[in-house]
């Protein structure tokens, strides 16, 4: 997760284009540096936890060998090691999740481009610069129960692809994640195409992927996920009442590979 620092010449050229003020650039640069420190700290903790996990496994294997040799004292040590191993496993998983989902350091110029893209499409798109996530509101991207992208969203995706194909973004891959609310699919014609919310969320993510491929984003950089109703960002209404905030397509900008 290490990236080259944006050069002074590149930053100066970008500012000369009139796209961003010096103050905005400095603010984003400071934010990126803070993210970098956070990710480095997480990486250090994650690597240390993985090492300790391996050491615990080796100790547990040795203790089991002693138990097989008939040493009763090894039984208590095995119990303690198994408990420690379980806790360390949970810590490793937690740190891994934080690294994968907790935020990605983006170059300052790329951050500015994405901020401006979201500002130009405020009703359709939001951008979380802390996590490197572009979020499309699915109610404005798709008709209800459909995975066909409407013309307004296609135009926005085309502009987003222009950013994705830029030099500033070439070191990043794209993960497209579909989400729904908890309203069950009941219309027969819809159910034939999308049997569950899981299917609908995945099919919508695939539609966005296909749209990006049509804009010449290389398929090697793209992947999809479908979470259905299982990762809401806001409470759904009672009795499968849904919530518009949960109907969304999130696009994660992540390190290559």
């Amino acid at each position: 997760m290490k990236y080259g620092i944006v050069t002074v010449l590149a930053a100066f050229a970008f500012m000369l284009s009139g796209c961003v003020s010096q103050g905005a650039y400095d603010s984003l640069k400071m934010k990126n540096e803070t993210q970098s420190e956070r990710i480095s700290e997480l990486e250090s903790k994650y690597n240390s936890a993985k090492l300790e996990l391996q050491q615990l496994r080796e100790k547990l294997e040795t203790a089991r060998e002693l138990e097989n040799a008939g040493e009763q004292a090894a039984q208590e040590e095995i119990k303690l090691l198994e408990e420690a191993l379980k806790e360390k496993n949970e810590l490793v998983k937690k740190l891994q999740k934080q690294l994968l989902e907790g935020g990605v350091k983006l170059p300052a110029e790329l951050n500015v481009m994405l901020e401006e893209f979201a500002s130009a499409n405020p009703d359709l798109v939001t951008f979380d610069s802390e996590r490197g996530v572009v979020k499309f509101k699915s109610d404005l991207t798709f008709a209800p129960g459909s995975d066909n992208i409407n013309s307004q969203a296609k135009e926005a995706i085309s502009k987003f692809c222009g950013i994705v194909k830029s030099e500033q973004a070439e070191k990043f891959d794209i993960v497209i994640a579909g989400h729904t609310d908890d309203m069950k699919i009941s219309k027969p014609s819809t159910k034939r195409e999308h049997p569950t919310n899981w299917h609908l969320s995945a099919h919508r993510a695939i539609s966005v992927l296909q749209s990006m491929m049509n804009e010449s984003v290389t398929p090697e950089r793209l992947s999809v996920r479908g979470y259905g109703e299982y990762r809401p960002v806001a409470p759904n209404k009672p009795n499968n009442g849904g919530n518009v905030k949960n109907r969304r397509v999130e696009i994660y900008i992540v390190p290559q590979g």
Side-chain angles (χ1 to χ4, degrees):
M1 291 190 181
K2 308 296 184 188
Y3 310 103
I5 299 172
V6 179
T7 64
V8 173
L9 284 175
F12 182 66
F14 189 72
M15 285 185 285
L16 280 180
S17 68
C19 291
V20 62
S21 68
Q22 178 68 51
Y25 179 83
D26 290 343
S27 176
L28 283 167
K29 185 177 179 182
M30 185 178 298
K31 188 182 293 183
N32 285 337
E33 290 171 353
T34 301
Q35 278 186 304
S36 178
E37 292 172 2
R38 176 177 175 273
I39 291 170
S40 295
E41 182 182 358
L42 278 173
E43 282 181 328
S44 177
K45 288 180 179 179
Y46 175 63
N47 291 329
S48 295
K50 282 205 302 181
L51 177 61
E52 291 169 7
L53 184 63
Q54 181 59 35
Q55 292 171 341
L56 281 170
R57 285 173 177 157
E58 292 171 358
K59 288 181 181 179
L60 182 58
E61 184 178 349
T62 301
R64 282 175 174 158
E65 289 174 357
L66 291 173
E67 182 187 36
N68 292 335
E71 295 190 23
Q72 296 296 319
Q75 292 182 359
E76 185 63 29
E77 184 178 1
I78 287 173
K79 183 179 178 181
L80 293 172
L81 285 170
E82 285 177 339
E83 291 176 357
L85 192 64
K86 182 180 178 181
E87 291 179 2
K88 194 62 67 177
N89 253 320
E90 290 174 353
L91 176 61
V92 167
K93 288 179 181 178
K94 179 181 177 181
L95 290 169
Q96 186 179 44
K97 183 178 180 182
Q98 287 177 324
L99 277 169
L100 290 174
E101 299 183 0
V104 174
K105 182 184 70 170
L106 299 179
E109 290 177 90
L110 179 56
N111 244 329
V112 171
M113 293 164 75
L114 291 167
E115 291 275 13
E116 292 184 340
F117 168 69
S119 295
N121 301 274
D123 295 330
L124 181 65
V125 177
T126 60
F127 172 56
D128 183 347
S129 61
E130 295 295 327
R131 300 169 63 216
V133 180
V134 174
K135 187 185 300 183
F136 283 78
K137 303 168 186 178
S138 69
D139 277 16
L140 299 175
T141 306
F142 304 92
S146 171
D147 63 349
N148 294 320
I149 303 172
N150 65 39
S151 57
Q152 180 191 10
K154 280 185 178 179
E155 185 178 343
I157 290 171
S158 176
K159 292 177 181 176
F160 173 68
C161 288
I163 298 172
V164 168
K165 292 184 292 182
S166 69
E167 181 182 355
Q168 290 81 8
E170 65 182 2
K171 299 294 186 182
F172 295 89
D173 288 341
I174 308 299
V175 179
I176 307 160
H179 300 263
T180 69
D181 58 20
D182 67 342
M183 294 177 69
K184 304 301 180 187
I185 295 175
S186 57
K187 191 176 179 180
S189 59
T190 301
K191 205 170 183 67
R192 281 194 296 271
E193 298 291 329
H194 320 291
T196 67
N197 280 328
W198 232 332
H199 288 80
L200 179 60
S201 66
H203 293 167
R204 285 178 167 178
I206 291 170
S207 290
V208 173
L209 177 145
Q210 188 61 59
S211 183
M212 294 184 69
M213 286 178 60
N214 292 343
E215 295 289 337
S216 301
V217 178
T218 55
E220 292 82 3
R221 297 179 64 193
L222 300 170
S223 64
V224 298
R225 299 178 182 182
Y227 290 113
E229 64 203 67
Y230 298 105
R231 292 202 179 181
V233 292
N236 286 300
K237 297 177 183 177
N239 303 316
N240 304 123
N243 187 325
V244 65
K245 291 182 179 179
N246 295 325
R247 301 192 290 269
R248 66 203 192 275
V249 173
E250 295 179 338
I251 301 180
Y252 291 78
I253 302 169
V254 302
Q256 279 185 350

